[in-house]
Amino acid sequence: EADIYQTPRYLVIGTGKKITLECSQTMGHDKMYWYQQDPGMELHLIHYSYGVNSTEKGDLSSESTVSRIRTEHFPLTLESARPSHTSQYLCASRENEQFFGPGTRLTVL
Amino acid sequence: KNQVEQSPQSLIILEGKNCTLQCNYTVSPFSNLRWYKQDTGRGPVSLTIMTFSENTKSNGRYTATLDADTKQSSLHITASQLSDSASYICVVSDRGSTLGRLYFGRGTQLTVWP
């Protein structure tokens, strides 16, 4: 079992609220990723990081932002949630093998 | 354009039966191919990873094959169990950058009935 954690697992929130999805890994990996996945669809990369103070946008445009102040922590923030942000968000980290967290299912009403 | 295509999109089989899932890719340059199992509401979990020189790899009842010439891979599940019900995702990595970019298929949704 990979040591990568995400909280919360489920979140239902109203439009306009600010939210932060937490992701932590204890494997010491420099590379970390955020993916967005809608039901029955492939994973889309929205953010990635090579290490502390390094963040890049992925393939899918996202209004979210990320930060990487510590190696083990890679939180994702939405300043003003909208219904279009409803999705599953998966965090991952990688050395040679890529490990995924359990995901956060976000619903914006 | 680098792509990963999986078939079938969904599959229903009876418990105890075997099945084979397909993955075709156009990713170049190729680095490796992975099969992941994703249970509903969970993150994907790695089943196998194969590099260019490997053409078969097993993990228990799961056997993956790779034909790098035709850019095809298959995942064979033997003696299926109810717990095999999940989405199976084919992921191909390129060698084009330090990141080793991953390309994801949409997955095959497998349902195993008792």
Side-chain angles (χ1 to χ4, degrees), chain A residues 9 14 16 18 20 23-24 26 31-32 42-43 45 48 50 56 58 60 62 64-66 70 72 84 88 92 109:
Chain A
R9 290 294 318 284
K18 177 180 178 179
T20 296
C23 175
S24 296
T26 58
K31 297 174 184 172
M32 295 190 73
E42 66 265 48
L43 281 73
L45 181 66
Y48 61 95
Y50 288 133
E56 300 287 344
L60 183 67
S62 174
S64 58
T65 59
V66 293
R70 303 198 313 267
E72 62 272 21
S84 61
Q88 172 152 313
L109 303 176

Side-chain angles (χ1 to χ4, degrees), chain B residues 54-91:
Chain B
E54 297 174 295
N55 54 25
T56 187
K57 184 163 281 189
S58 293
N59 178 2
R61 295 180 296 103
Y62 301 103
T63 299
T65 65
L66 173 65
D67 186 335
D69 292 330
T70 62
K71 298 188 176 182
Q72 295 179 325
S73 176
S74 65
L75 180 68
H76 186 75
I77 304 174
T78 304
S80 61
Q81 300 176 359
L82 298 179
S83 59
D84 292 333
S85 295
S87 179
Y88 291 83
I89 303 172
C90 177
V91 183

Side-chain angles (χ1 to χ4, degrees), chain A residues 45-79:
Chain A
L45 181 66
I46 52 175
H47 298 283
Y48 61 95
S49 169
Y50 288 133
V52 171
N53 294 325
S54 158
T55 61
E56 300 287 344
K57 289 191 176 295
D59 306 318
L60 183 67
S61 175
S62 174
E63 294 165 346
S64 58
T65 59
V66 293
S67 63
R68 191 86 183 277
I69 299 173
R70 303 198 313 267
T71 298
E72 62 272 21
H73 196 211
F74 192 38
L76 180 146
T77 299
L78 276 166
E79 290 292 333

Side-chain angles (χ1 to χ4, degrees), chain B residues 80-112:
Chain B
S80 61
Q81 300 176 359
L82 298 179
S83 59
D84 292 333
S85 295
S87 179
Y88 291 83
I89 303 172
C90 177
V91 183
V92 181
S93 177
D94 69 11
R95 289 186 286 112
S97 67
T98 304
L99 182 64
R101 181 183 167 153
L102 301 182
Y103 296 85
F104 291 82
R106 290 191 174 187
T108 292
Q109 183 65 49
L110 175 66
T111 303
V112 181

